[in-house]
Amino acid sequence: MKTDVTQVMVEEHKLILRMIGLVERNTAQMEAGKFRDWQFYLDAIDFIRNFADRFHHAKEEDVLFAALVANGMPAQNSPVAAMLMAHDQGRAFVRAMEEGAQKALDGESGQIPLIAENARGYAALLRDHIDKEDTILYPLAERVLPEEPRTAMVAAYAKAESSAPVGLAAHYQAMVERYEAQSPA
């Protein structure tokens, strides 16, 4: 039995999808004139940058994707290249969403379309991206990666997690739970 190297990523996706759900719900309410908590968007951006990007995507990019390429997957014109491109597209949506949310928080009117367009774009991109990883790329990785690099991969995940600020995952778990409690489905 091979050491599992993707389950940790699937578990992290669950929390990311919960935040995406909050972004979608609050964006719909914002467009309907029922939500004006600009700080939520800045908190969501903080979550995206620090949990989804630095914590989760870093493990994907630096460990899993690197192992796939080292074990024969092409770096260009491949599933890895497509996933990296989606990460970059997500970062662009986040930058634009942050710009609008910060301006709205500072009292500048007219930011709702900018926030909404980029929040919806990010949410759609990430839902599709996570689905492709969970249903195509991760199962492929589990099939093609030999056992030899797997122990080092698990150690690299642990090292990445230990280099993150203490309590990072718990902090963002609590953030998501707090916003879910404020905004029931």
Side-chain angles (χ1 to χ4, degrees):
M1 180 100 188
K2 291 181 181 176
T3 302
D4 189 299
V5 292
T6 60
Q7 189 58 38
V8 65
M9 303 298 181
V10 171
E11 290 304 313
E12 291 170 2
H13 280 167
K14 291 176 184 176
L15 186 60
I16 294 166
L17 286 168
R18 287 170 62 191
M19 178 54 83
I20 290 170
L22 287 165
V23 168
E24 291 167 327
R25 184 170 35 247
N26 290 342
T27 299
Q29 290 180 1
M30 175 185 66
E31 290 180 301
K34 299 176 183 175
F35 185 83
R36 294 293 184 267
D37 182 357
W38 310 124
Q39 187 59 48
F40 163 78
Y41 286 98
L42 296 177
D43 287 346
I45 290 160
D46 174 61
F47 172 94
I48 292 163
R49 285 191 173 143
N50 289 299
F51 184 81
D53 206 14
R54 288 189 186 106
F55 185 73
H56 175 77
H57 289 168
K59 286 189 276 186
E60 282 181 339
E61 292 174 4
D62 298 341
V63 181
L64 180 61
F65 296 172
L68 286 167
V69 170
N71 284 278
M73 185 173 285
Q76 302 299 317
N77 300 315
S78 70
V80 167
M83 296 299 104
L84 290 170
M85 187 170 31
H87 287 181
D88 287 341
Q89 289 171 332
R91 291 174 186 125
F93 282 125
V94 169
R95 281 190 300 274
M97 186 171 36
E98 179 182 38
E99 177 184 328
Q102 188 59 60
K103 285 179 179 179
L105 189 64
D106 292 341
E108 190 172 322
S109 64
Q111 298 306 306
I112 290 173
L114 176 67
I115 296 168
E117 176 184 349
N118 287 285
R120 282 193 314 272
Y122 179 80
L125 175 79
L126 257 284
R127 281 197 182 281
D128 181 61
H129 176 80
I130 287 171
D131 181 62
K132 286 176 183 171
E133 286 180 339
D134 286 354
T135 62
I136 299 168
L137 185 62
Y138 292 174
L140 175 65
E142 292 296 349
R143 282 193 311 274
V144 302
L145 286 173
E147 182 59 34
E148 181 187 345
R150 290 172 181 254
T151 301
M153 291 173 69
V154 171
Y157 292 159
K159 182 179 179 186
E161 289 175 10
S162 70
S163 68
V166 174
L168 179 119
H171 167 74
Y172 289 112
Q173 173 83 26
M175 174 190 286
V176 168
E177 290 171 359
R178 185 175 68 251
Y179 278 115
E180 285 173 337
Q182 292 172 8
S183 178

